[in-house]
Amino acid sequence: MYQDGNALAGPLTEIFAVDMTSAESVCAGCGRAGAVASLRVYWHAGDAVVRCPGCEQVVFRLVRLENRLCLEVTGLRRLTFS
Amino acid sequence: MKWRVATVVESRAETATARTLVLDVPDWPGHLGGQHVDLRLTADDGYSVQRSYSLASPDRVEIAVQRVDDGEVSPYLTDVFAVGDAIELRGPVGGWFVWRPAATEPVLLVAGGSGIVPLMAMIRARRAAGSKVPFRLIYSVRTPEEIFYADELRRPDPGVDVSYVFSRKAPEGARRPVKRIGLADVTTHGWPPDFQPSCFVCGPTGFVETVADLLVAVGHDPSRVKTERFG
Ligand SMILES: Cc1cc2nc3c(=O)[nH]c(=O)nc-3n(C[C@H](O)[C@H](O)[C@H](O)COP(=O)(O)OP(=O)(O)OC[C@H]3O[C@@H](n4cnc5c(N)ncnc54)[C@H](O)[C@@H]3O)c2cc1C
Ligand SMILES: [Zn+2]
């Protein structure tokens, strides 16, 4: 079962100073635009795999490696803040 | 955002399997209805887990946890964690699934189980702000015994309409047949799409998917349907 991008509000404050869940993301796979909060979040231990609800492709991934935190953004075309 | 130490100052049973906890967090900055906190537990060997819990009240750090019997964190919070105990907390977080007291559109809240928590915070924030915006709450629970905030919802504020969907067992005399939420529930107890309400849907992932699809199917603008999936 998955959660959604709301669950990343806390973890993403470790990287960004503004709330990332209300930013609009555009999927590089299908072009769907929607709030980061509306993306699907699959947890694997403490790592999050974030998928597009439109095409199921991975939009980004939040991975913790010992004391490093890595944000991999291969499936993300654009982020817009308003 | 930094992790801070929170201390339990109040603990009470919400239902037989859910507990309300009030936490004291020094220098709490305040928050909006719909925001949540992350709680973190760390074992002696350094292994740590974190989970998110919605804030239930506009003016204090209050959460309500539903016990998931085979869960890693929730049984600890409902059955072990007690007044005087401390935990690491980060928040308030989440800026999308929120209701702002200055908003003027009618509001539809649809809760499944513990998904009531952030929606109750919105109802309480409306009261605290003296807002007259009309709210409708559709609250789906399996049985009447599983209703959170039962006394408060029995006497809702003027302008707040509450209806229930019972999916396993209904109270005596209920007219609606016992079944999962469906189209008739959202059309009977929701707002017509023409009113352009803000819709907030929260609960288990499957429930949220069903309700969001129903709302869009009856004509609500997808951008006005905000969702939060507890998993
Ligand atoms: C924004 C938000 C608000 C929530 N508000 C409430 C609430 O008010 N009341 C309530 O009872 N529940 C709430 N939940 C659900 C809560 O966070 C837990 O998922 C639930 O208590 C079950 O946790 P568990 O450890 O007992 O169960 P488990 O079955 O052990 O965990 C549940 C699942 O969530 C995954 N998971 C969730 N968060 C993380 C994370 N940060 N890191 C790694 N894995 C994770 C686990 O891997 C597992 O698959 C909320 C969830 C979210 C996303
Ligand atoms: Zn996509």
Side-chain angles (χ1 to χ4, degrees):
Chain A
M1 210 13 103
Y2 53 90
Q3 294 182 337
D4 59 36
N6 293 298
L8 297 178
L12 288 171
T13 65
E14 292 176 40
I15 308 176
F16 300 97
V18 296
D19 174 49
M20 285 292 290
T21 62
S22 29
E24 187 195 70
S25 67
V26 176
C27 170
C30 70
R32 176 193 178 272
V36 169
S38 70
L39 301 174
R40 295 185 177 171
V41 172
Y42 297 84
W43 293 100
H44 301 281
D47 298 341
V49 175
V50 184
R51 292 179 180 273
C52 172
C55 69
E56 277 289 319
Q57 279 200 47
V58 176
V59 181
F60 64 90
R61 226 187 274 265
L62 192 62
V63 183
R64 218 173 279 276
L65 287 162
E66 292 172 10
N67 46 17
R68 284 180 298 169
L69 184 61
C70 172
L71 183 66
E72 207 181 84
V73 292
T74 40
L76 186 62
R77 181 181 303 160
R78 186 164 67 238
L79 275 178
T80 309
F81 300 84
S82 51
Chain B
M1 195 177 286
K2 282 213 189 92
W3 291 96
R4 299 193 264 187
V5 176
T7 312
V8 190
V9 291
E10 205 181 306
S11 166
R12 63 168 189 275
E14 201 56 68
T15 68
T17 55
R19 182 163 286 276
T20 280
L21 298 165
V22 181
L23 302 162
D24 176 52
V25 188
D27 303 317
W28 184 251
H31 58 270
L32 291 166
Q35 288 196 285
H36 65 270
V37 296
D38 291 344
L39 297 183
R40 180 165 74 177
L41 294 167
T42 306
D44 294 336
D45 64 2
Y47 169 78
S48 82
V49 281
Q50 58 190 54
R51 295 287 185 270
S52 300
Y53 293 95
S54 299
L55 291 155
S57 164
D59 51 7
R60 53 185 197 164
V61 185
E62 175 186 323
I63 61 172
V65 181
Q66 172 66 50
R67 185 173 73 218
V68 175
D69 286 334
D70 55 352
E72 198 175 356
V73 174
S74 60
Y76 171 78
L77 296 175
T78 55
D79 301 0
V80 182
F81 198 45
V83 171
D85 288 349
I87 194 165
E88 282 186 292
L89 174 150
R90 170 172 68 191
V93 292
W96 185 72
F97 193 80
V98 296
W99 179 75
R100 293 187 160 78
T104 55
E105 320 79 68
V107 172
L108 172 63
L109 308 172
V110 189
S114 56
I116 187 66
V117 179
L119 307 184
M120 195 67 203
M122 295 178 192
I123 291 173
R124 290 168 167 176
R126 174 189 182 275
R127 182 189 313 150
S131 166
K132 298 276 189 293
V133 167
F135 270 40
R136 286 184 178 176
L137 167 68
I138 305 175
Y139 186 3
S140 170
V141 280
R142 286 181 299 193
T143 69
E145 292 74 34
E146 286 169 73
I147 298 173
F148 286 28
Y149 316 116
D151 287 340
E152 199 172 334
L153 290 172
R154 206 168 289 133
R155 294 178 295 274
D157 304 323
V160 178
D161 221 75
V162 179
S163 52
Y164 292 95
V165 167
F166 296 100
S167 60
R168 294 255 179 95
K169 189 188 96 188
E172 204 121 338
R175 262 179 282 153
R176 181 190 179 279
V178 171
K179 59 173 186 204
R180 290 189 179 185
I181 195 163
L183 191 64
D185 299 303
V186 301
T187 52
T188 310
H189 301 292
W191 297 104
D194 288 350
F195 289 25
Q196 303 196 308
S198 294
C199 306
F200 295 92
V201 186
C202 187
T205 300
F207 175 86
V208 171
E209 294 295 328
T210 302
V211 174
D213 288 349
L214 287 171
L215 290 172
V216 171
V218 301
H220 291 275
D221 180 346
S223 70
R224 291 180 185 278
V225 180
K226 292 193 171 176
T227 47
E228 184 161 89
R229 296 162 179 83
F230 280 6

